[in-house]
Amino acid sequence: MSVKNNTLDTRYQSLLQDILDNGVEKKDRTGTGTISVFGRQIRHKMSEGFPLLTTKKMYFKGIVTELLWFLRGDTNIKFLVDNGCHIWDGDAYKNFKSRFSQMPGIQSSLPTKEEFIDKIKNQDGYAEKWGELGPIYGKQWREWKTEVAIPTTLKIDDGDDIEPLYVKGTQYIDQIQNLINDLKTNPDSRRLMVSAWAVHDLTNMVLPPCHYGFQVYTRELSLAERLNLVSTIIGEEKIRTHKDNLERVEKLNIPTRAISLMWNQRSVDTFLGLPFNIASYGLLLEIIAKVVNMVPDELIGNLGDVHLYSNHVEQAKEQIERKPFDLLPTLKHLRSDDKYTLLNEFPTLWSNFEITDFEIENYQSHLAIKAPLSN
């Protein structure tokens, strides 16, 4: 249940004001221009509610769509387009046009961005040919490619010493599954990390990852915290005997640990991108917590180049002036308990999850604030 004292919006508004007060003008690859600060952090306690800003209306379906796309290991824009999520359209179209950069005579005959996206959605085979974005987030999360040396035969040299002979092989690492396995078997590990910054693949991506990695951390819950979870689940507030309490929390499979997530982001489009990133990693934390039966605890973002595009300044000022709602929304996992169970048995079945498996309740917000996306 959400509680009053929504601090997320005020922290976000403070970050916007920080950029306006202290930012320096910088050029950027899009040609738009930014004002920028370096090295900031934003934190949120998940007990305050799901981290969806209330000072402007957020597109929750788009957040779910992109995250499930990552978790599926998908790198083709078609899944996004088919589900009405268009945040990668500009990058996909820019990548499409770049393939013809050495053929200026063809440029004028290329489809417009709108025509390109329509073909991705409706023309058979078009997405397979032109919709790939390279080995971006989902590929690195689910199939990090690495070369390994595989011993094949043994060679005996003239001195009768035995030496192994190796051949190069390719190995694909499922970082998400490794993370879940480690959480179950070694939850105090300091290596509970997932990276998208694959140096060998950066030039093959339409855009190097902005949020390039995340780490999770768990701690044991006290008995009092577990009993509080019991009262939340079954509506009981009075404490019985110590023995009864222990039996109850075990019978109800009450979580024994809390889990926090910290992501690192090199480049932060603070007006359009950051609110999306906060909610996306909040959702990822909720999903991972449910898979391993832990309680979502704290969400932390470490932010590098934190900027406002020059054409977002007035929108940021408008959002700063808005009064946050007291309550953040809550997240419901719909029709998905069996899917989490199945995922434990068959760890690669992330494709079983659907956008409609997640719903936001009690979301009150101000109206959306439109701003152009720079690609």
Side-chain angles (χ1 to χ4, degrees):
M1 179 180 294
S2 293
V3 296
K4 289 189 176 182
N5 190 27
N6 163 21
T7 62
L8 177 65
D9 276 279
T10 53
R11 291 180 186 187
Y12 174 73
Q13 289 171 315
S14 295
L15 183 59
L16 291 177
Q17 190 65 57
D18 181 11
I19 300 170
L20 293 174
D21 292 342
N22 303 304
V24 297
E25 292 186 7
K26 293 190 69 175
K27 297 177 181 178
D28 71 285
R29 66 174 177 86
T30 72
T32 307
T34 69
I35 52 174
S36 167
V37 296
F38 184 65
R40 299 295 189 267
Q41 188 178 80
I42 196 158
R43 306 177 78 102
H44 172 67
K45 292 291 290 184
M46 296 296 287
S47 58
E48 292 185 5
F50 187 78
L52 204 61
L53 293 182
T54 70
T55 44
K56 68 177 179 184
K57 187 173 180 60
M58 296 290 298
Y59 180 42
F60 181 68
K61 180 185 174 185
I63 293 164
V64 177
T65 301
E66 187 196 44
L67 180 60
L68 291 185
W69 183 61
F70 290 162
L71 288 171
R72 290 165 179 246
D74 200 346
T75 57
N76 194 294
I77 196 175
K78 185 168 174 57
F79 177 81
L80 299 179
V81 171
D82 286 348
N83 289 286
C85 182
H86 296 286
I87 56 177
W88 284 87
D89 287 7
D91 294 299
Y93 184 61
K94 186 177 180 180
N95 181 56
F96 168 73
K97 290 181 67 177
S98 71
R99 301 190 190 187
F100 302 94
S101 59
Q102 303 302 316
M103 296 177 278
I106 295 180
Q107 291 286 330
S108 60
S109 63
L110 292 178
T112 65
K113 177 181 170 182
E114 291 71 22
E115 291 168 341
F116 171 75
I117 296 302
D118 183 71
K119 288 175 182 288
I120 290 288
K121 184 173 184 177
N122 297 308
Q123 186 171 311
D124 288 344
Y126 198 84
E128 287 79 0
K129 188 174 183 179
W130 301 112
E132 281 294 329
L133 302 179
I136 58 171
Y137 299 96
K139 180 70 172 178
Q140 305 306 335
W141 284 13
R142 298 298 312 284
E143 288 187 339
W144 179 291
K145 182 179 179 181
T146 183
E147 288 190 347
V148 293
I150 304 173
T152 56
T153 59
L154 297 178
K155 179 183 73 172
I156 301 177
D157 64 16
D158 293 339
D160 292 334
D161 289 329
I162 298 176
E163 298 179 1
L165 293 178
Y166 295 91
V167 296
K168 286 186 177 180
T170 301
Q171 181 180 1
Y172 293 94
I173 301 170
D174 188 336
Q175 294 189 83
I176 296 296
Q177 189 52 44
N178 285 352
L179 174 66
I180 290 171
N181 289 342
D182 289 344
L183 282 167
K184 292 177 179 178
T185 58
N186 188 15
D188 285 323
S189 172
R190 296 186 292 269
R191 303 176 183 180
L192 303 171
M193 300 175 65
V194 170
S195 177
W197 194 262
V199 177
H200 62 285
D201 261 343
L202 293 179
T203 56
N204 299 319
M205 304 176 188
V206 296
L207 183 69
C210 295
H211 41 102
Y212 58 88
F214 66 91
Q215 179 179 357
V216 298
Y217 171 94
T218 79
R219 64 174 179 83
E220 290 188 359
L221 293 170
S222 66
L223 177 59
E225 287 176 308
R226 297 185 77 198
L227 287 173
N228 186 59
L229 290 173
V230 173
S231 66
T232 300
I233 293 171
I234 64 177
E236 287 193 15
E237 296 180 358
K238 292 184 178 180
I239 299 175
R240 297 187 181 182
T241 67
H242 184 72
K243 180 180 178 181
D244 286 342
N245 290 334
L246 289 175
E247 289 177 351
R248 180 154 297 178
V249 295
E250 297 308 325
K251 183 178 180 180
L252 291 173
N253 195 28
I254 298 299
T256 61
R257 284 183 175 262
I259 180 171
S260 297
L261 183 150
M262 178 174 69
W263 85 91
N264 296 303
Q265 190 161 345
R266 64 173 179 86
S267 176
V268 187
D269 174 356
T270 311
F271 184 76
L272 285 181
L274 182 57
F276 202 97
N277 300 138
I278 293 169
S280 179
Y281 276 106
L283 179 59
L284 179 62
L285 175 55
E286 289 270 6
I287 291 173
I288 293 174
K290 193 166 178 65
V291 171
V292 298
N293 193 32
M294 295 183 187
V295 178
D297 195 2
E298 191 169 16
L299 182 67
I300 305 162
N302 290 324
L303 313 175
D305 186 322
V306 187
H307 52 266
L308 281 170
Y309 282 102
S310 58
N311 53 5
H312 293 173
V313 170
E314 294 308 313
Q315 292 93 327
K317 290 178 179 178
E318 179 182 348
Q319 189 166 357
I320 289 170
E321 293 300 317
R322 292 180 171 183
K323 184 179 184 299
F325 284 84
D326 288 335
L327 294 176
L328 289 174
T330 53
L331 175 71
K332 284 193 68 175
H333 299 259
L334 301 173
R335 301 180 298 281
S336 55
D337 283 349
D338 57 330
K339 295 182 181 181
Y340 286 102
T341 301
L342 193 61
L343 188 66
N344 277 298
E345 297 177 11
F346 303 97
T348 60
L349 290 183
W350 289 99
S351 58
N352 272 10
F353 286 92
E354 300 174 9
I355 299 162
T356 52
D357 286 334
F358 306 93
E359 183 179 283
I360 286 295
E361 288 189 320
N362 303 317
Y363 182 42
Q364 291 182 295
S365 74
H366 292 269
L367 295 176
I369 305 175
K370 293 187 179 297
L373 178 64
S374 295
N375 294 115

